[in-house]
Amino acid sequence: MAKAEEMNIYEIGYLLVPYLPAEEVGKTVETSIKAKILASGGEVTSELAPVMTRLSYVITKIINNKHTKFSDGYFGALRFKLTTDEIVKLKDVWSKDDLIIRSLIISLPQGSETIVAPKRSFAPRREDKPFEIERVMPEKEEEKPALSAEELDQEIDKLVV
């Protein structure tokens, strides 16, 4: 583990996919985010529990080689201490995780280890009907057998004509 003087304070804000069952969200945060921080020699100092929220705009992420669109997701945040070298590696790992739609990591000044909860509650922007979330896993494409060179040439000829 690195010395406390070498460790910086960071905060990650993240959006998790909405098709996770509510009881699995905490476990996903543990395995996808917290465990990776601890495995890198870091220390989690505080957290804001993930809450389902409607997004201001649709976010597209490629999952299983398909563009998947999200209009809502679980938003949460964590503050942690970690070395600069390790944060670069983790950022890459989190960007490739299929359960994390998007994340943002910021560096904070020393002494800001705890997350302060917002003082005001968020009011809805407009009068909307309560929304239901369709919890559907993206479909996996079925594996197609490899084409021979001759079959491939025939397929290309069909497309050209």
Side-chain angles (χ1 to χ4, degrees):
M1 186 159 168
K3 296 178 187 174
E5 297 85 45
E6 298 172 5
M7 297 178 85
N8 296 323
I9 301 170
Y10 295 97
E11 180 172 310
I12 178 173
Y14 56 86
L15 275 173
L16 299 177
V17 292
Y19 51 76
L20 284 172
E23 57 275 359
E24 293 290 319
V25 173
K27 183 177 148 188
T28 301
V29 171
E30 279 292 326
T31 58
S32 293
I33 300 173
K34 284 185 185 179
K36 291 176 180 163
I37 292 170
L38 297 174
S40 298
E43 168 190 346
V44 176
T45 59
S46 64
E47 80 177 283
L48 183 66
V51 177
M52 178 61 75
T53 185
R54 167 93 15 118
L55 305 177
S56 297
Y57 56 91
V58 175
I59 296 176
T60 302
K61 179 167 181 158
I62 298 173
I63 299 176
N64 296 328
N65 296 323
K66 290 186 179 182
H67 290 272
T68 307
K69 296 184 179 199
F70 298 98
S71 58
D72 40 57
Y74 290 99
F75 173 75
L78 281 172
R79 286 202 181 166
F80 57 96
K81 292 181 179 181
L82 196 63
T83 61
T84 308
D85 297 336
E86 293 296 324
I87 197 71
V88 174
K89 296 174 191 172
L90 281 180
K91 187 175 183 180
D92 187 47
V93 169
W94 287 327
S95 68
K96 294 176 183 173
D97 192 329
D98 287 345
L99 296 177
I100 300 174
I101 299 170
R102 189 171 284 174
S103 64
L104 175 69
I105 302 168
I106 58 172
S107 178
L108 299 169
Q110 292 297 327
S112 54
E113 286 87 2
T114 58
I115 296 177
V116 179
K119 294 181 181 172
R120 64 179 177 88
S121 63
F122 292 101
R125 294 184 197 173
R126 58 185 182 269
E127 296 298 320
D128 279 339
K129 295 182 270 182
F131 63 96
E132 281 294 317
I133 296 162
E134 186 178 345
R135 299 179 191 279
V136 178
M137 288 283 289
E139 296 176 9
K140 291 191 176 184
E141 254 182 59
E142 60 185 60
E143 299 273 334
K144 295 180 181 177
L147 297 175
S148 68
E150 194 173 290
E151 292 171 327
L152 184 60
D153 286 340
Q154 289 174 356
E155 289 293 320
I156 292 173
D157 288 341
K158 286 179 190 176
L159 292 174
V160 172
V161 174

